[in-house]
Amino acid sequence: MGPAPVRPPFICYGDTEFVTIHPSFRTMLAALVATALIGFGPVKASDDFDLSPQQPGRVRAAKNDAAIAAIPRGFKFVTPGTFTVAVAPGGPPLATYATDAKTVVGADPDYASAIADTLGLKLELVPVAWIDWPLGLTSGKYDAVISNVGVTEQRKEKFDFSTYRQGLHGFFVKTDSKVASINEPKDAAGLRIIVGAGTNQERILLKWSDEDVQAGLKPIELQYYDDDAASLLALQSNRADVIVQPHAQLVYIAARDKNIKRVGTLSAGWPDRSDVAITTRKGSGLAAALTTATNGLINDGTYAKILDHWHLSEEALAKSETNPPGLPKY
């Protein structure tokens, strides 16, 4: 029969979960999450992703004079000549510790590197626990945060944003599943879907289930497990039909395990789009330069190369925006 589904206190990374973690455990938990997603070291890491500290395939960018000119006159970087960026190594492919257990690698570090290149600056990455970035940013420990931070109306009261990826969740199933695609509520009617308790995905799927019932369809059966391993086991043993998590995490797991596949994506802001953004101090003026830099990377193709390198092309934006509409306050 296996273990019964439970509603667990999930670990927080990015905009997925909403829990409180005691400060003394933050660094340890981040390392544990990264290790679990990697598969306990380089031996089990996916061959599709280079997690070496050297990163020979890192995409570099050219200087962007327009972006440099957009930096406010008198703006002071934390360290002169350096772009200091906070990143939470919560798991591949977004950001994780490399096989040397100390170098942070992934899509977000690569993107930070490209932005630094465009601004003619060196890059300094500061590994942080994800829930610590707001205090560190407001206190001036770093110039920006590039760590899967979603734009929300509440955050816009204290921070400025320059968007650089779509905020997507993924619908993934067993490779031999008969579920072909999930694009709207009716596609999920009657399915057994694994989701994290208290997450934005759960909130959206509860709305989907209500819509299905109102349309005369079967409700969605949401299932909750205490960790990723239990969730994936439930999927493989046919106790569940679908797993929903942040898209990037499942892209990595699919490449590593070769036994799940994507059948759809879901915007974190459904029914609207919700984007991930470079985060800076409110009113610092740096956001305009970072938006210009991002659009330069989009226009010259560097942006697409970075996302493709980390298998995240589905999360591409057509253009970067400064402080666009974000998730509303709930």
PDB file of all heavy atoms in Angstrom, residues 220-256:
ATOM      1  N   ILE A 220     -10.309  17.515  -9.055  1.00  0.00           N
ATOM      2  CA  ILE A 220      -8.915  17.083  -9.007  1.00  0.00           C
ATOM      3  C   ILE A 220      -8.623  16.527  -7.614  1.00  0.00           C
ATOM      4  O   ILE A 220      -9.036  17.103  -6.608  1.00  0.00           O
ATOM      5  CB  ILE A 220      -7.972  18.271  -9.296  1.00  0.00           C
ATOM      6  CG1 ILE A 220      -8.213  18.818 -10.704  1.00  0.00           C
ATOM      7  CG2 ILE A 220      -6.511  17.863  -9.132  1.00  0.00           C
ATOM      8  CD1 ILE A 220      -7.489  20.126 -10.981  1.00  0.00           C
ATOM      9  N   GLU A 221      -7.922  15.400  -7.554  1.00  0.00           N
ATOM     10  CA  GLU A 221      -7.530  14.826  -6.266  1.00  0.00           C
ATOM     11  C   GLU A 221      -6.097  15.256  -5.965  1.00  0.00           C
ATOM     12  O   GLU A 221      -5.154  14.811  -6.622  1.00  0.00           O
ATOM     13  CB  GLU A 221      -7.601  13.301  -6.298  1.00  0.00           C
ATOM     14  CG  GLU A 221      -7.165  12.644  -4.995  1.00  0.00           C
ATOM     15  CD  GLU A 221      -7.072  11.136  -5.095  1.00  0.00           C
ATOM     16  OE1 GLU A 221      -7.950  10.529  -5.744  1.00  0.00           O
ATOM     17  OE2 GLU A 221      -6.099  10.569  -4.541  1.00  0.00           O
ATOM     18  N   LEU A 222      -5.936  16.141  -4.993  1.00  0.00           N
ATOM     19  CA  LEU A 222      -4.598  16.602  -4.632  1.00  0.00           C
ATOM     20  C   LEU A 222      -3.986  15.669  -3.596  1.00  0.00           C
ATOM     21  O   LEU A 222      -4.654  15.255  -2.650  1.00  0.00           O
ATOM     22  CB  LEU A 222      -4.657  18.022  -4.077  1.00  0.00           C
ATOM     23  CG  LEU A 222      -5.158  19.103  -5.035  1.00  0.00           C
ATOM     24  CD1 LEU A 222      -5.048  20.478  -4.393  1.00  0.00           C
ATOM     25  CD2 LEU A 222      -4.399  19.067  -6.354  1.00  0.00           C
ATOM     26  N   GLN A 223      -2.711  15.347  -3.797  1.00  0.00           N
ATOM     27  CA  GLN A 223      -1.994  14.472  -2.880  1.00  0.00           C
ATOM     28  C   GLN A 223      -0.773  15.203  -2.332  1.00  0.00           C
ATOM     29  O   GLN A 223      -0.141  15.984  -3.036  1.00  0.00           O
ATOM     30  CB  GLN A 223      -1.554  13.181  -3.581  1.00  0.00           C
ATOM     31  CG  GLN A 223      -2.694  12.303  -4.056  1.00  0.00           C
ATOM     32  CD  GLN A 223      -2.204  10.976  -4.618  1.00  0.00           C
ATOM     33  OE1 GLN A 223      -1.010  10.682  -4.612  1.00  0.00           O
ATOM     34  NE2 GLN A 223      -3.125  10.166  -5.107  1.00  0.00           N
ATOM     35  N   TYR A 224      -0.430  14.884  -1.075  1.00  0.00           N
ATOM     36  CA  TYR A 224       0.672  15.555  -0.393  1.00  0.00           C
ATOM     37  C   TYR A 224       1.613  14.506   0.196  1.00  0.00           C
ATOM     38  O   TYR A 224       1.169  13.575   0.855  1.00  0.00           O
ATOM     39  CB  TYR A 224       0.143  16.452   0.726  1.00  0.00           C
ATOM     40  CG  TYR A 224      -0.918  17.419   0.273  1.00  0.00           C
ATOM     41  CD1 TYR A 224      -2.272  17.053   0.279  1.00  0.00           C
ATOM     42  CD2 TYR A 224      -0.582  18.695  -0.165  1.00  0.00           C
ATOM     43  CE1 TYR A 224      -3.256  17.935  -0.145  1.00  0.00           C
ATOM     44  CE2 TYR A 224      -1.566  19.588  -0.583  1.00  0.00           C
ATOM     45  CZ  TYR A 224      -2.892  19.202  -0.575  1.00  0.00           C
ATOM     46  OH  TYR A 224      -3.862  20.068  -0.988  1.00  0.00           O
ATOM     47  N   TYR A 225       2.922  14.690  -0.067  1.00  0.00           N
ATOM     48  CA  TYR A 225       3.931  13.773   0.465  1.00  0.00           C
ATOM     49  C   TYR A 225       5.004  14.561   1.185  1.00  0.00           C
ATOM     50  O   TYR A 225       5.140  15.769   0.996  1.00  0.00           O
ATOM     51  CB  TYR A 225       4.521  12.922  -0.657  1.00  0.00           C
ATOM     52  CG  TYR A 225       3.501  11.972  -1.252  1.00  0.00           C
ATOM     53  CD1 TYR A 225       2.681  12.376  -2.306  1.00  0.00           C
ATOM     54  CD2 TYR A 225       3.329  10.695  -0.737  1.00  0.00           C
ATOM     55  CE1 TYR A 225       1.724  11.519  -2.834  1.00  0.00           C
ATOM     56  CE2 TYR A 225       2.375   9.829  -1.260  1.00  0.00           C
ATOM     57  CZ  TYR A 225       1.577  10.243  -2.305  1.00  0.00           C
ATOM     58  OH  TYR A 225       0.628   9.395  -2.812  1.00  0.00           O
ATOM     59  N   ASP A 226       5.791  13.846   2.007  1.00  0.00           N
ATOM     60  CA  ASP A 226       6.697  14.555   2.894  1.00  0.00           C
ATOM     61  C   ASP A 226       8.041  14.924   2.286  1.00  0.00           C
ATOM     62  O   ASP A 226       8.823  15.630   2.913  1.00  0.00           O
ATOM     63  CB  ASP A 226       6.915  13.777   4.195  1.00  0.00           C
ATOM     64  CG  ASP A 226       7.442  12.376   3.953  1.00  0.00           C
ATOM     65  OD1 ASP A 226       7.681  12.023   2.781  1.00  0.00           O
ATOM     66  OD2 ASP A 226       7.612  11.632   4.942  1.00  0.00           O
ATOM     67  N   ASP A 227       8.344  14.462   1.058  1.00  0.00           N
ATOM     68  CA  ASP A 227       9.573  14.883   0.398  1.00  0.00           C
ATOM     69  C   ASP A 227       9.509  14.503  -1.077  1.00  0.00           C
ATOM     70  O   ASP A 227       8.582  13.837  -1.532  1.00  0.00           O
ATOM     71  CB  ASP A 227      10.824  14.287   1.056  1.00  0.00           C
ATOM     72  CG  ASP A 227      10.798  12.764   1.133  1.00  0.00           C
ATOM     73  OD1 ASP A 227      10.284  12.117   0.197  1.00  0.00           O
ATOM     74  OD2 ASP A 227      11.293  12.217   2.137  1.00  0.00           O
ATOM     75  N   ASP A 228      10.524  14.946  -1.832  1.00  0.00           N
ATOM     76  CA  ASP A 228      10.556  14.678  -3.266  1.00  0.00           C
ATOM     77  C   ASP A 228      10.641  13.186  -3.560  1.00  0.00           C
ATOM     78  O   ASP A 228      10.014  12.701  -4.503  1.00  0.00           O
ATOM     79  CB  ASP A 228      11.740  15.392  -3.920  1.00  0.00           C
ATOM     80  CG  ASP A 228      11.457  16.855  -4.210  1.00  0.00           C
ATOM     81  OD1 ASP A 228      10.274  17.234  -4.251  1.00  0.00           O
ATOM     82  OD2 ASP A 228      12.420  17.619  -4.391  1.00  0.00           O
ATOM     83  N   ALA A 229      11.434  12.465  -2.770  1.00  0.00           N
ATOM     84  CA  ALA A 229      11.596  11.032  -3.018  1.00  0.00           C
ATOM     85  C   ALA A 229      10.271  10.303  -2.895  1.00  0.00           C
ATOM     86  O   ALA A 229       9.927   9.458  -3.735  1.00  0.00           O
ATOM     87  CB  ALA A 229      12.618  10.449  -2.045  1.00  0.00           C
ATOM     88  N   ALA A 230       9.494  10.620  -1.856  1.00  0.00           N
ATOM     89  CA  ALA A 230       8.190   9.979  -1.671  1.00  0.00           C
ATOM     90  C   ALA A 230       7.228  10.371  -2.792  1.00  0.00           C
ATOM     91  O   ALA A 230       6.439   9.536  -3.265  1.00  0.00           O
ATOM     92  CB  ALA A 230       7.610  10.357  -0.313  1.00  0.00           C
ATOM     93  N   SER A 231       7.308  11.613  -3.228  1.00  0.00           N
ATOM     94  CA  SER A 231       6.434  12.070  -4.317  1.00  0.00           C
ATOM     95  C   SER A 231       6.732  11.325  -5.608  1.00  0.00           C
ATOM     96  O   SER A 231       5.832  10.849  -6.302  1.00  0.00           O
ATOM     97  CB  SER A 231       6.615  13.573  -4.530  1.00  0.00           C
ATOM     98  OG  SER A 231       6.226  14.302  -3.394  1.00  0.00           O
ATOM     99  N   LEU A 232       8.027  11.219  -5.950  1.00  0.00           N
ATOM    100  CA  LEU A 232       8.408  10.547  -7.187  1.00  0.00           C
ATOM    101  C   LEU A 232       8.096   9.054  -7.132  1.00  0.00           C
ATOM    102  O   LEU A 232       7.710   8.452  -8.140  1.00  0.00           O
ATOM    103  CB  LEU A 232       9.898  10.779  -7.464  1.00  0.00           C
ATOM    104  CG  LEU A 232      10.282  12.242  -7.764  1.00  0.00           C
ATOM    105  CD1 LEU A 232      11.793  12.402  -7.750  1.00  0.00           C
ATOM    106  CD2 LEU A 232       9.695  12.695  -9.087  1.00  0.00           C
ATOM    107  N   LEU A 233       8.237   8.458  -5.940  1.00  0.00           N
ATOM    108  CA  LEU A 233       7.888   7.049  -5.782  1.00  0.00           C
ATOM    109  C   LEU A 233       6.398   6.835  -5.989  1.00  0.00           C
ATOM    110  O   LEU A 233       5.979   5.872  -6.640  1.00  0.00           O
ATOM    111  CB  LEU A 233       8.305   6.557  -4.393  1.00  0.00           C
ATOM    112  CG  LEU A 233       7.960   5.091  -4.073  1.00  0.00           C
ATOM    113  CD1 LEU A 233       8.648   4.146  -5.056  1.00  0.00           C
ATOM    114  CD2 LEU A 233       8.365   4.765  -2.636  1.00  0.00           C
ATOM    115  N   ALA A 234       5.589   7.740  -5.454  1.00  0.00           N
ATOM    116  CA  ALA A 234       4.137   7.630  -5.638  1.00  0.00           C
ATOM    117  C   ALA A 234       3.769   7.716  -7.116  1.00  0.00           C
ATOM    118  O   ALA A 234       2.882   7.001  -7.591  1.00  0.00           O
ATOM    119  CB  ALA A 234       3.438   8.728  -4.852  1.00  0.00           C
ATOM    120  N   LEU A 235       4.472   8.574  -7.837  1.00  0.00           N
ATOM    121  CA  LEU A 235       4.203   8.713  -9.270  1.00  0.00           C
ATOM    122  C   LEU A 235       4.590   7.436 -10.012  1.00  0.00           C
ATOM    123  O   LEU A 235       3.826   6.920 -10.832  1.00  0.00           O
ATOM    124  CB  LEU A 235       4.978   9.908  -9.822  1.00  0.00           C
ATOM    125  CG  LEU A 235       4.635  10.359 -11.244  1.00  0.00           C
ATOM    126  CD1 LEU A 235       3.216  10.901 -11.307  1.00  0.00           C
ATOM    127  CD2 LEU A 235       5.628  11.433 -11.708  1.00  0.00           C
ATOM    128  N   GLN A 236       5.766   6.900  -9.723  1.00  0.00           N
ATOM    129  CA  GLN A 236       6.240   5.710 -10.424  1.00  0.00           C
ATOM    130  C   GLN A 236       5.447   4.457 -10.070  1.00  0.00           C
ATOM    131  O   GLN A 236       5.336   3.531 -10.879  1.00  0.00           O
ATOM    132  CB  GLN A 236       7.726   5.480 -10.116  1.00  0.00           C
ATOM    133  CG  GLN A 236       8.654   6.527 -10.697  1.00  0.00           C
ATOM    134  CD  GLN A 236       8.523   6.648 -12.217  1.00  0.00           C
ATOM    135  OE1 GLN A 236       8.428   5.649 -12.921  1.00  0.00           O
ATOM    136  NE2 GLN A 236       8.515   7.887 -12.711  1.00  0.00           N
ATOM    137  N   SER A 237       4.854   4.417  -8.860  1.00  0.00           N
ATOM    138  CA  SER A 237       4.080   3.248  -8.442  1.00  0.00           C
ATOM    139  C   SER A 237       2.595   3.389  -8.771  1.00  0.00           C
ATOM    140  O   SER A 237       1.771   2.600  -8.284  1.00  0.00           O
ATOM    141  CB  SER A 237       4.257   3.011  -6.943  1.00  0.00           C
ATOM    142  OG  SER A 237       3.808   4.141  -6.198  1.00  0.00           O
ATOM    143  N   ASN A 238       2.262   4.395  -9.576  1.00  0.00           N
ATOM    144  CA  ASN A 238       0.895   4.608 -10.061  1.00  0.00           C
ATOM    145  C   ASN A 238      -0.095   4.956  -8.957  1.00  0.00           C
ATOM    146  O   ASN A 238      -1.303   4.771  -9.124  1.00  0.00           O
ATOM    147  CB  ASN A 238       0.397   3.383 -10.840  1.00  0.00           C
ATOM    148  CG  ASN A 238       1.184   3.144 -12.101  1.00  0.00           C
ATOM    149  OD1 ASN A 238       1.470   4.075 -12.865  1.00  0.00           O
ATOM    150  ND2 ASN A 238       1.581   1.899 -12.348  1.00  0.00           N
ATOM    151  N   ARG A 239       0.405   5.488  -7.838  1.00  0.00           N
ATOM    152  CA  ARG A 239      -0.508   5.984  -6.817  1.00  0.00           C
ATOM    153  C   ARG A 239      -0.900   7.434  -7.090  1.00  0.00           C
ATOM    154  O   ARG A 239      -1.754   7.994  -6.402  1.00  0.00           O
ATOM    155  CB  ARG A 239       0.139   5.844  -5.433  1.00  0.00           C
ATOM    156  CG  ARG A 239       0.164   4.407  -4.940  1.00  0.00           C
ATOM    157  CD  ARG A 239       0.772   4.280  -3.551  1.00  0.00           C
ATOM    158  NE  ARG A 239       2.223   4.374  -3.603  1.00  0.00           N
ATOM    159  CZ  ARG A 239       2.942   5.215  -2.870  1.00  0.00           C
ATOM    160  NH1 ARG A 239       2.350   6.055  -2.051  1.00  0.00           N
ATOM    161  NH2 ARG A 239       4.263   5.224  -2.953  1.00  0.00           N
ATOM    162  N   ALA A 240      -0.246   8.055  -8.064  1.00  0.00           N
ATOM    163  CA  ALA A 240      -0.565   9.406  -8.492  1.00  0.00           C
ATOM    164  C   ALA A 240      -0.359   9.479  -9.996  1.00  0.00           C
ATOM    165  O   ALA A 240       0.356   8.668 -10.587  1.00  0.00           O
ATOM    166  CB  ALA A 240       0.311  10.422  -7.779  1.00  0.00           C
ATOM    167  N   ASP A 241      -1.020  10.451 -10.623  1.00  0.00           N
ATOM    168  CA  ASP A 241      -0.940  10.594 -12.081  1.00  0.00           C
ATOM    169  C   ASP A 241       0.038  11.687 -12.517  1.00  0.00           C
ATOM    170  O   ASP A 241       0.656  11.577 -13.580  1.00  0.00           O
ATOM    171  CB  ASP A 241      -2.330  10.930 -12.649  1.00  0.00           C
ATOM    172  CG  ASP A 241      -3.377   9.906 -12.300  1.00  0.00           C
ATOM    173  OD1 ASP A 241      -3.159   8.720 -12.601  1.00  0.00           O
ATOM    174  OD2 ASP A 241      -4.414  10.296 -11.722  1.00  0.00           O
ATOM    175  N   VAL A 242       0.140  12.727 -11.714  1.00  0.00           N
ATOM    176  CA  VAL A 242       0.888  13.924 -12.117  1.00  0.00           C
ATOM    177  C   VAL A 242       1.598  14.492 -10.897  1.00  0.00           C
ATOM    178  O   VAL A 242       1.100  14.394  -9.769  1.00  0.00           O
ATOM    179  CB  VAL A 242      -0.073  15.005 -12.683  1.00  0.00           C
ATOM    180  CG1 VAL A 242       0.712  16.211 -13.211  1.00  0.00           C
ATOM    181  CG2 VAL A 242      -0.978  14.434 -13.755  1.00  0.00           C
ATOM    182  N   ILE A 243       2.746  15.098 -11.121  1.00  0.00           N
ATOM    183  CA  ILE A 243       3.409  15.876 -10.083  1.00  0.00           C
ATOM    184  C   ILE A 243       3.559  17.307 -10.580  1.00  0.00           C
ATOM    185  O   ILE A 243       3.885  17.541 -11.743  1.00  0.00           O
ATOM    186  CB  ILE A 243       4.774  15.271  -9.697  1.00  0.00           C
ATOM    187  CG1 ILE A 243       5.392  16.041  -8.523  1.00  0.00           C
ATOM    188  CG2 ILE A 243       5.732  15.232 -10.882  1.00  0.00           C
ATOM    189  CD1 ILE A 243       6.619  15.367  -7.924  1.00  0.00           C
ATOM    190  N   VAL A 244       3.283  18.259  -9.707  1.00  0.00           N
ATOM    191  CA  VAL A 244       3.411  19.680 -10.038  1.00  0.00           C
ATOM    192  C   VAL A 244       4.411  20.310  -9.071  1.00  0.00           C
ATOM    193  O   VAL A 244       4.235  20.243  -7.853  1.00  0.00           O
ATOM    194  CB  VAL A 244       2.064  20.409  -9.937  1.00  0.00           C
ATOM    195  CG1 VAL A 244       2.251  21.906 -10.199  1.00  0.00           C
ATOM    196  CG2 VAL A 244       1.065  19.835 -10.924  1.00  0.00           C
ATOM    197  N   GLN A 245       5.462  20.907  -9.622  1.00  0.00           N
ATOM    198  CA  GLN A 245       6.479  21.623  -8.866  1.00  0.00           C
ATOM    199  C   GLN A 245       6.987  22.754  -9.754  1.00  0.00           C
ATOM    200  O   GLN A 245       6.637  22.825 -10.935  1.00  0.00           O
ATOM    201  CB  GLN A 245       7.657  20.693  -8.509  1.00  0.00           C
ATOM    202  CG  GLN A 245       7.393  19.723  -7.387  1.00  0.00           C
ATOM    203  CD  GLN A 245       8.655  18.943  -7.011  1.00  0.00           C
ATOM    204  OE1 GLN A 245       9.746  19.221  -7.496  1.00  0.00           O
ATOM    205  NE2 GLN A 245       8.498  17.964  -6.164  1.00  0.00           N
ATOM    206  N   PRO A 246       7.841  23.630  -9.207  1.00  0.00           N
ATOM    207  CA  PRO A 246       8.486  24.603 -10.088  1.00  0.00           C
ATOM    208  C   PRO A 246       9.114  23.904 -11.288  1.00  0.00           C
ATOM    209  O   PRO A 246       9.786  22.890 -11.154  1.00  0.00           O
ATOM    210  CB  PRO A 246       9.542  25.239  -9.175  1.00  0.00           C
ATOM    211  CG  PRO A 246       8.905  25.187  -7.827  1.00  0.00           C
ATOM    212  CD  PRO A 246       8.177  23.879  -7.799  1.00  0.00           C
ATOM    213  N   HIS A 247       8.871  24.443 -12.463  1.00  0.00           N
ATOM    214  CA  HIS A 247       9.253  23.815 -13.714  1.00  0.00           C
ATOM    215  C   HIS A 247      10.732  23.456 -13.770  1.00  0.00           C
ATOM    216  O   HIS A 247      11.117  22.351 -14.170  1.00  0.00           O
ATOM    217  CB  HIS A 247       8.888  24.761 -14.865  1.00  0.00           C
ATOM    218  CG  HIS A 247       9.334  24.307 -16.209  1.00  0.00           C
ATOM    219  ND1 HIS A 247      10.422  24.862 -16.853  1.00  0.00           N
ATOM    220  CD2 HIS A 247       8.853  23.345 -17.041  1.00  0.00           C
ATOM    221  CE1 HIS A 247      10.585  24.281 -18.021  1.00  0.00           C
ATOM    222  NE2 HIS A 247       9.660  23.349 -18.165  1.00  0.00           N
ATOM    223  N   ALA A 248      11.582  24.386 -13.356  1.00  0.00           N
ATOM    224  CA  ALA A 248      13.026  24.161 -13.463  1.00  0.00           C
ATOM    225  C   ALA A 248      13.465  22.937 -12.668  1.00  0.00           C
ATOM    226  O   ALA A 248      14.293  22.143 -13.130  1.00  0.00           O
ATOM    227  CB  ALA A 248      13.782  25.394 -12.990  1.00  0.00           C
ATOM    228  N   GLN A 249      12.926  22.766 -11.462  1.00  0.00           N
ATOM    229  CA  GLN A 249      13.307  21.610 -10.643  1.00  0.00           C
ATOM    230  C   GLN A 249      12.965  20.298 -11.347  1.00  0.00           C
ATOM    231  O   GLN A 249      13.758  19.350 -11.348  1.00  0.00           O
ATOM    232  CB  GLN A 249      12.592  21.663  -9.289  1.00  0.00           C
ATOM    233  CG  GLN A 249      13.027  22.811  -8.403  1.00  0.00           C
ATOM    234  CD  GLN A 249      12.253  22.841  -7.098  1.00  0.00           C
ATOM    235  OE1 GLN A 249      11.448  21.959  -6.806  1.00  0.00           O
ATOM    236  NE2 GLN A 249      12.492  23.876  -6.295  1.00  0.00           N
ATOM    237  N   LEU A 250      11.775  20.242 -11.937  1.00  0.00           N
ATOM    238  CA  LEU A 250      11.349  19.005 -12.590  1.00  0.00           C
ATOM    239  C   LEU A 250      12.104  18.767 -13.892  1.00  0.00           C
ATOM    240  O   LEU A 250      12.312  17.612 -14.290  1.00  0.00           O
ATOM    241  CB  LEU A 250       9.841  19.037 -12.833  1.00  0.00           C
ATOM    242  CG  LEU A 250       8.989  18.915 -11.567  1.00  0.00           C
ATOM    243  CD1 LEU A 250       7.514  19.112 -11.887  1.00  0.00           C
ATOM    244  CD2 LEU A 250       9.204  17.563 -10.880  1.00  0.00           C
ATOM    245  N   VAL A 251      12.525  19.819 -14.570  1.00  0.00           N
ATOM    246  CA  VAL A 251      13.357  19.654 -15.766  1.00  0.00           C
ATOM    247  C   VAL A 251      14.635  18.907 -15.399  1.00  0.00           C
ATOM    248  O   VAL A 251      15.064  17.984 -16.102  1.00  0.00           O
ATOM    249  CB  VAL A 251      13.685  21.025 -16.391  1.00  0.00           C
ATOM    250  CG1 VAL A 251      14.833  20.910 -17.393  1.00  0.00           C
ATOM    251  CG2 VAL A 251      12.462  21.601 -17.083  1.00  0.00           C
ATOM    252  N   TYR A 252      15.235  19.307 -14.282  1.00  0.00           N
ATOM    253  CA  TYR A 252      16.471  18.639 -13.855  1.00  0.00           C
ATOM    254  C   TYR A 252      16.202  17.184 -13.467  1.00  0.00           C
ATOM    255  O   TYR A 252      16.945  16.283 -13.860  1.00  0.00           O
ATOM    256  CB  TYR A 252      17.106  19.372 -12.678  1.00  0.00           C
ATOM    257  CG  TYR A 252      18.361  18.681 -12.199  1.00  0.00           C
ATOM    258  CD1 TYR A 252      19.571  18.888 -12.846  1.00  0.00           C
ATOM    259  CD2 TYR A 252      18.319  17.776 -11.143  1.00  0.00           C
ATOM    260  CE1 TYR A 252      20.723  18.223 -12.446  1.00  0.00           C
ATOM    261  CE2 TYR A 252      19.464  17.105 -10.736  1.00  0.00           C
ATOM    262  CZ  TYR A 252      20.657  17.333 -11.390  1.00  0.00           C
ATOM    263  OH  TYR A 252      21.784  16.659 -10.995  1.00  0.00           O
ATOM    264  N   ILE A 253      15.152  16.944 -12.685  1.00  0.00           N
ATOM    265  CA  ILE A 253      14.839  15.583 -12.242  1.00  0.00           C
ATOM    266  C   ILE A 253      14.543  14.684 -13.439  1.00  0.00           C
ATOM    267  O   ILE A 253      14.960  13.524 -13.487  1.00  0.00           O
ATOM    268  CB  ILE A 253      13.667  15.597 -11.254  1.00  0.00           C
ATOM    269  CG1 ILE A 253      14.100  16.271  -9.946  1.00  0.00           C
ATOM    270  CG2 ILE A 253      13.166  14.181 -10.969  1.00  0.00           C
ATOM    271  CD1 ILE A 253      12.963  16.538  -8.979  1.00  0.00           C
ATOM    272  N   ALA A 254      13.828  15.219 -14.437  1.00  0.00           N
ATOM    273  CA  ALA A 254      13.513  14.433 -15.627  1.00  0.00           C
ATOM    274  C   ALA A 254      14.778  14.042 -16.373  1.00  0.00           C
ATOM    275  O   ALA A 254      14.913  12.909 -16.854  1.00  0.00           O
ATOM    276  CB  ALA A 254      12.580  15.224 -16.542  1.00  0.00           C
ATOM    277  N   ALA A 255      15.725  14.975 -16.476  1.00  0.00           N
ATOM    278  CA  ALA A 255      16.984  14.671 -17.160  1.00  0.00           C
ATOM    279  C   ALA A 255      17.818  13.680 -16.363  1.00  0.00           C
ATOM    280  O   ALA A 255      18.503  12.829 -16.934  1.00  0.00           O
ATOM    281  CB  ALA A 255      17.763  15.963 -17.391  1.00  0.00           C
ATOM    282  N   ARG A 256      17.746  13.770 -15.047  1.00  0.00           N
ATOM    283  CA  ARG A 256      18.538  12.884 -14.183  1.00  0.00           C
ATOM    284  C   ARG A 256      17.984  11.459 -14.161  1.00  0.00           C
ATOM    285  O   ARG A 256      18.718  10.488 -14.297  1.00  0.00           O
ATOM    286  CB  ARG A 256      18.566  13.450 -12.756  1.00  0.00           C
ATOM    287  CG  ARG A 256      19.392  12.655 -11.755  1.00  0.00           C
ATOM    288  CD  ARG A 256      19.105  13.111 -10.340  1.00  0.00           C
ATOM    289  NE  ARG A 256      17.753  12.738  -9.920  1.00  0.00           N
ATOM    290  CZ  ARG A 256      17.165  13.224  -8.835  1.00  0.00           C
ATOM    291  NH1 ARG A 256      17.772  14.116  -8.080  1.00  0.00           N
ATOM    292  NH2 ARG A 256      15.940  12.817  -8.515  1.00  0.00           N
TER     293      ARG A 256
END
